Amino acid sequence: MATPPSDALAQGLAEVRALLLGPDLVRATAAGARRGQTPAVLRATLRPVTLKSGDRLQLVTEDGQRPTTVNLAPGAEAAARVDELLAEPFGGWVVETAHGSLRLQATKKGAVLHRGAAVAPPASTEHDRAKEHLLDPGDPLYDVIGGDAAKRRQVDAFLRALAATLPAPAQLPRPLRVVDLGCGNAYLTFAAYRYLSGQGVDVRLIGVDIRPDQRERNTALARRLGWEDHVTFVAGSIADAPVDAADVVLALHACDTATDDALARAISWDARWILAAPCCHKDISRQLRKRPPEGAYAMLTEHGILRERFADVLTDTVRAALLRRQGYAVEVVEFIDSAHTPRNAMIRAHRTNAAPTADPELDALLDQWHIHPHLATLLADPPR
């Protein structure tokens, strides 16, 4: 049963309610949890939209699997749903309006309110139209950096996942340090900077790639775009590139154990948020081929194509478990439809305050399948 809010928290929530149901709302986000309590969802986001049927209050909730979207009619329906959300024990609310922003943070003794500058409303709240893009495939940026249609779709889908992962701009570190590991031609690097800076985020972005010629190419493009003070590139391996720290780590289709290198590097930086879309999973597949499982489970790896697909699942299962062992909350989600790329899984993690812990179930899984994950080696996982 939820603990009744203190007087200060109740007053703050009443002010939040008025803004949520008022005419000047731009966006609002609820996230986190009060001490000893757990909300029904991880995050809730509200914003006004305009549909063919009229104005609506759009609510997106995230439960750790897939986001759920509902469009609430103004009046009783919207008010009732807002009241349900305000009754949830969220740790904080950030409400942005055309006249100012408000951050409500629940504390042990009650609540703290912070007020900020106004947020410009979007140019349009129309929602029933051609599919919205966080970075349109026709954006002039692509005239400079290139990228075919498939790559542009992947980048836009990755940005959507990034937007769903990060809190509201007012809650982000300043500057926000983002590192794109294995950036290649840096389509994602440049697109992430374009999106984040467009949201008013003070961001510094570094792209890492093993090839010096890629660093030179991408640096020249950053200079051409006038972004060289905020977007820089270094040449080096994911494990050893000269980068000191990161708040956000991105990795799009780093091949095989390069994804493990990216995850390990992110953990070494104590990164707050990690988004990695793996590519091939050859390492565990090779181990299963060399030492097949015993008994009935041998059927899972008897045929090459089935072994490869099972290795995909097993590899990312282990990666997620190892991240949790290091104190991260982890989701493995589909970030783009498989029609666009078969490599459409994403490991999405955010750092919690939990201390690293043992995981006997993970140890049992590794023993049962006789596998030695590269990420466990990188993390100097103690022998079992």
Side-chain angles (χ1 to χ4, degrees):
M1 179 178 297
T3 303
S6 66
D7 290 344
L9 181 56
Q11 292 173 6
L13 290 172
E15 188 170 347
V16 168
R17 184 183 191 275
L19 295 176
L20 295 179
L21 298 174
D24 301 314
L25 178 68
V26 174
R27 171 187 160 108
T29 302
R34 295 176 207 163
R35 187 180 184 91
Q37 301 181 67
T38 305
V41 294
L42 296 177
R43 182 195 302 264
T45 303
L46 291 148
R47 70 183 182 102
V49 297
T50 301
L51 309 180
K52 291 179 181 178
S53 53
D55 292 341
R56 295 290 185 269
L57 183 63
Q58 185 178 88
L59 168 63
V60 179
T61 54
E62 299 178 50
D63 62 1
Q65 298 298 320
R66 288 177 178 269
T68 300
T69 302
V70 294
N71 295 307
L72 305 167
E77 182 182 19
R81 191 68 183 93
V82 164
D83 287 340
E84 290 176 6
L85 288 172
L86 293 172
E88 292 286 345
F90 287 114
W93 279 88
V94 176
V95 184
E96 299 169 335
T97 76
H99 299 295
S101 62
L102 180 146
R103 179 180 178 185
L104 172 67
Q105 188 68 42
T107 67
K108 186 176 181 180
K109 295 183 179 180
V112 176
L113 277 175
H114 298 278
R115 303 181 192 278
V119 176
S124 172
T125 58
E126 292 184 5
H127 196 65
D128 283 343
R129 56 185 176 184
K131 182 179 179 180
E132 296 180 3
H133 298 275
L134 292 187
L135 185 64
D136 192 282
D139 191 284
L141 172 66
Y142 288 113
D143 294 337
V144 178
I145 67 173
D148 60 21
K151 179 58 67 176
R152 297 181 190 193
R153 282 192 294 267
Q154 290 176 34
V155 166
D156 187 67
F158 202 107
L159 292 181
R160 288 176 179 277
L162 177 63
T165 300
L166 298 181
Q171 296 177 284
L172 292 171
R174 295 181 63 87
L176 181 69
R177 300 164 299 176
V178 182
V179 179
D180 183 4
L181 293 173
C183 67
N185 285 323
Y187 302 123
L188 177 61
T189 318
F190 287 117
Y193 179 76
R194 176 61 162 264
Y195 168 70
L196 290 169
S197 61
Q199 297 298 303
V201 179
D202 180 14
V203 59
R204 302 293 184 272
L205 212 152
I206 299 175
V208 174
D209 196 84
I210 191 68
R211 293 169 50 184
D213 61 319
Q214 290 285 43
R215 178 196 60 194
E216 294 170 6
R217 169 194 178 274
N218 295 334
T219 298
L221 290 176
R223 188 178 303 114
R224 180 178 170 188
L225 290 163
W227 295 349
E228 66 269 26
D229 291 338
H230 295 83
V231 182
T232 57
F233 296 90
V234 298
S237 70
I238 289 174
D240 300 322
V243 180
D244 295 330
D247 301 306
V248 182
V249 172
L250 312 177
L252 175 57
H253 292 165
C255 190
D256 196 17
T257 56
T259 293
D260 298 305
D261 294 335
L263 297 176
R265 195 77 195 272
I267 292 169
S268 74
W269 288 323
D270 206 19
R272 298 192 190 189
W273 300 279
I274 304 171
L275 292 93
C279 191
C280 50
H281 299 70
K282 297 177 182 178
D283 182 49
I284 296 298
S285 181
R286 283 191 294 265
Q287 293 184 41
L288 293 173
R289 184 178 66 251
K290 291 180 179 178
R291 188 173 179 182
E294 301 169 355
Y297 289 131
M299 291 187 291
L300 287 170
T301 62
E302 180 180 359
H303 304 284
I305 187 171
L306 297 180
R307 181 177 61 248
E308 291 175 5
R309 291 179 178 177
F310 179 69
D312 288 358
V313 174
L314 186 57
T315 300
D316 289 336
T317 297
V318 170
R319 286 169 171 163
L322 287 167
L323 282 166
R324 281 192 291 270
R325 179 180 277 187
Q326 294 295 318
Y328 283 81
V330 188
E331 303 170 278
V332 182
V333 300
E334 179 184 86
F335 81 100
I336 191 172
D337 191 272
S338 59
H340 301 304
T341 174
R343 301 300 182 183
N344 64 340
M346 172 181 284
I347 299 170
R348 190 166 63 178
H350 72 269
R351 178 169 52 79
T352 70
N353 292 325
T357 59
D359 188 346
E361 291 184 352
L362 172 59
D363 295 339
L365 179 68
L366 301 182
D367 287 336
Q368 184 172 12
W369 289 95
H370 309 299
I371 56 174
H372 304 281
H374 184 59
L375 180 57
T377 301
L378 294 173
L379 297 176
D381 211 27
R384 298 178 303 284

